[in-house]
Amino acid sequence: MNFDFDASRPEERAMLVLRRLYELYGYRRYKVSNFEEYSLYLQYKKFLAGDRILSFTDLDGRLLALRPDVTLSIIKNARENETAKAYYIEKVYRESKESNTFKEINQMGLEYMGRVDSYALAETVQLAAQSLAAISDGYILEIGHMQFVTGLLEKLDLTEAERAQILAGLAAKSPHLLKQTADELGLAAADAKRLLALLKLTGSPEDVLNLAEDICTGRKMQSALDELKTICAAQDEAAQAHLRLDLAMLNDTEFYDGILICGYLEGVPRPVLSGGRYDSMMRKLGHSMGAVCFAVYLDELERLPLPPRDFDVDVWLEEDADADAEGLLAAAREFAEAGQSVRVAASLPSDIRFRRHYKFSGGRLAEC
């Protein structure tokens, strides 16, 4: 029996292809329970997407939560001084800001924990690009770096409240709002100019890296640029054609502290992949290791169109009212084992298209 891989849904194809891809690079599947001690998420609640967590009291009296995040569970069980390469296919349960309800979200991702060097970062970006390419040719992988942004902000000597205002302007990608905020805070003209220039640092790696040198000031910003140059140069020609840098990209500033990754597919309005480096989060949970990750949001792939098909079913096998079940099933099985989809029915709905029509009557099969 042949499986029609090309006719399967995008999210189904993605799980099969990505499992193989990640295992080729030495990642092993990691399984976590749907339930986790509520205290873990309560302690690190600000790192989660959303304020509310689904919780319940187990039969033994423990307060448990339906898992809102996979990475925290993996960090919790990480072994110190060991490099771990893991991938997962899991569901998480989070509140939806759009519908004001809880949602079950399917996601697949990988985690690299241990000594995160230039190779580890380049491999992670490569696998992110290959993950998108395995789903669709029409993709863009954007890369940013938190250290480039925070390095610039550190030079401005801002309070936490002022820093939050600047970050809001950068997140909104609004030159007007950013300039207004800079004026209100009384920033020097040169500093305001650098901030506004940051918003223009988006495009091809070659163009952005050259322009970024003009506003680079300090060791942290230069280190971020050097790291991005190494990562981009390591990618193959196919991936480089789809890479974009966005040095004003922001994500959770409490969680991520290095490279940022964000992936888009043509036809899907929201990101389908995101991740980055989170060494500081590892330290908060008691580890001295580095870590980098990304997740693919499988539910978003449902927005992609299914491959076009001329027919809904290969064979309509029409049955008589007195059809012999044993013979009818044998006939259906023969079609299925030959790789042809078959629908057994006395009649079909008007919107079902079939390629061939057979009738089973009196123990005999005949094409109509």
Side-chain angles (χ1 to χ4, degrees):
M1 184 183 298
N2 296 319
F3 174 67
D4 190 356
F5 181 78
D6 291 334
S8 59
R9 300 191 65 83
E11 62 273 22
E12 296 169 338
R13 295 200 306 274
M15 283 191 285
L16 292 171
V17 173
L18 299 188
R19 282 188 65 173
R20 177 61 175 159
L21 172 63
Y22 302 157
E23 288 172 0
L24 284 173
Y25 280 85
Y27 290 80
R28 300 176 63 184
R29 185 163 183 185
Y30 191 97
K31 292 282 291 180
V32 295
S33 171
N34 283 341
F35 310 139
E36 185 67 83
E37 293 279 358
Y38 179 77
S39 59
L40 173 67
Y41 301 122
L42 181 63
Q43 184 178 1
Y44 300 102
K45 199 171 182 179
K46 65 180 179 179
F47 303 114
L48 303 175
D51 298 324
R52 290 177 286 186
I53 301 170
L54 276 173
S55 61
F56 64 96
T57 302
D58 202 1
L59 297 179
D60 61 4
R62 291 181 302 154
L63 186 60
L64 300 180
L66 277 172
R67 186 186 58 242
D69 181 80
V70 177
T71 298
L72 280 176
S73 296
I74 296 178
I75 295 174
K76 173 188 162 187
N77 297 305
R79 295 179 180 178
E80 195 68 20
N81 300 321
E82 286 188 16
T83 295
K85 298 178 73 173
Y87 76 91
Y88 60 85
I89 308 170
E90 300 289 349
K91 300 179 187 294
V92 295
Y93 304 87
R94 296 174 182 168
E95 63 171 309
S96 169
K97 300 293 187 181
E98 299 167 352
S99 60
N100 196 32
T101 59
F102 279 99
K103 290 182 62 178
E104 181 184 75
I105 302 170
N106 294 297
Q107 63 182 43
M108 184 172 185
L110 60 79
E111 306 279 343
Y112 190 117
M113 297 178 178
R115 180 174 176 269
V116 178
D117 54 14
S118 296
Y119 173 79
L121 296 174
E123 179 184 272
T124 303
V125 170
Q126 173 186 281
L127 289 174
Q130 290 180 338
S131 296
L132 296 171
I135 301 167
S136 170
D137 292 334
Y139 76 90
I140 291 175
L141 182 64
E142 285 191 342
I143 308 172
H145 207 299
M146 286 296 297
Q147 296 291 322
F148 194 80
V149 178
T150 57
L152 180 56
L153 295 183
E154 286 175 5
K155 297 294 181 180
L156 304 182
D157 193 25
L158 302 169
T159 66
E160 282 300 313
E162 292 170 341
R163 185 173 182 270
Q165 284 181 267
I166 295 293
L167 289 173
L170 290 172
K173 303 284 188 181
S174 170
H176 173 74
L177 177 59
L178 197 57
K179 184 177 186 309
Q180 183 181 31
T181 302
D183 290 341
E184 290 174 357
L185 297 179
L187 296 185
D191 292 333
K193 185 178 180 180
R194 285 194 187 91
L195 281 174
L196 290 168
L198 194 58
L199 292 179
K200 298 178 181 179
L201 295 180
T202 177
S204 71
E206 184 179 2
D207 292 342
V208 171
L209 290 171
N210 287 334
L211 291 172
E213 294 286 357
D214 294 337
I215 68 166
C216 188
T217 172
R219 183 178 300 175
K220 182 179 282 191
M221 294 181 75
Q222 188 60 56
S223 176
L225 278 188
D226 292 342
E227 197 166 80
L228 288 171
K229 289 176 183 176
T230 300
I231 292 169
C232 292
Q235 305 308 306
D236 62 22
E237 188 175 342
Q240 288 188 7
H242 296 268
L243 283 186
R244 299 290 183 273
L245 291 188
D246 181 358
L247 294 190
M249 183 193 300
L250 294 173
N251 208 321
D252 188 338
T253 56
E254 297 287 344
F255 190 93
Y256 294 107
D257 56 12
I259 66 162
L260 300 172
I261 309 168
C262 196
Y264 300 88
L265 294 179
E266 186 177 353
V268 181
R270 293 185 293 207
V272 300
L273 180 151
S274 70
R277 186 170 183 173
Y278 57 96
D279 293 10
S280 59
M281 186 63 189
M282 293 291 284
R283 290 193 293 272
K284 287 183 173 71
L285 272 82
H287 296 290
S288 59
M289 304 181 292
V292 61
C293 71
F294 67 78
V296 178
Y297 305 113
L298 298 173
D299 292 342
E300 293 295 329
L301 305 187
E302 295 177 2
R303 299 172 183 268
L304 293 172
L306 290 172
R309 301 187 69 183
D310 295 329
F311 302 96
D312 300 300
V313 64
D314 291 316
V315 175
W316 169 27
L317 181 51
E318 185 180 352
E319 60 174 318
D320 273 352
D322 59 349
D324 167 41
E326 182 180 347
L328 185 61
L329 182 57
R333 186 165 55 240
E334 187 175 342
F335 284 119
E337 288 176 349
Q340 299 180 69
S341 58
V342 57
R343 179 156 174 170
V344 179
S347 61
L348 286 182
S350 59
D351 61 342
I352 297 294
R353 301 165 300 168
F354 54 88
R355 189 187 303 271
R356 297 158 68 195
H357 180 195
Y358 286 82
K359 190 168 185 177
F360 189 84
S361 180
R364 300 182 62 184
L365 186 68
E367 186 167 7
C368 300

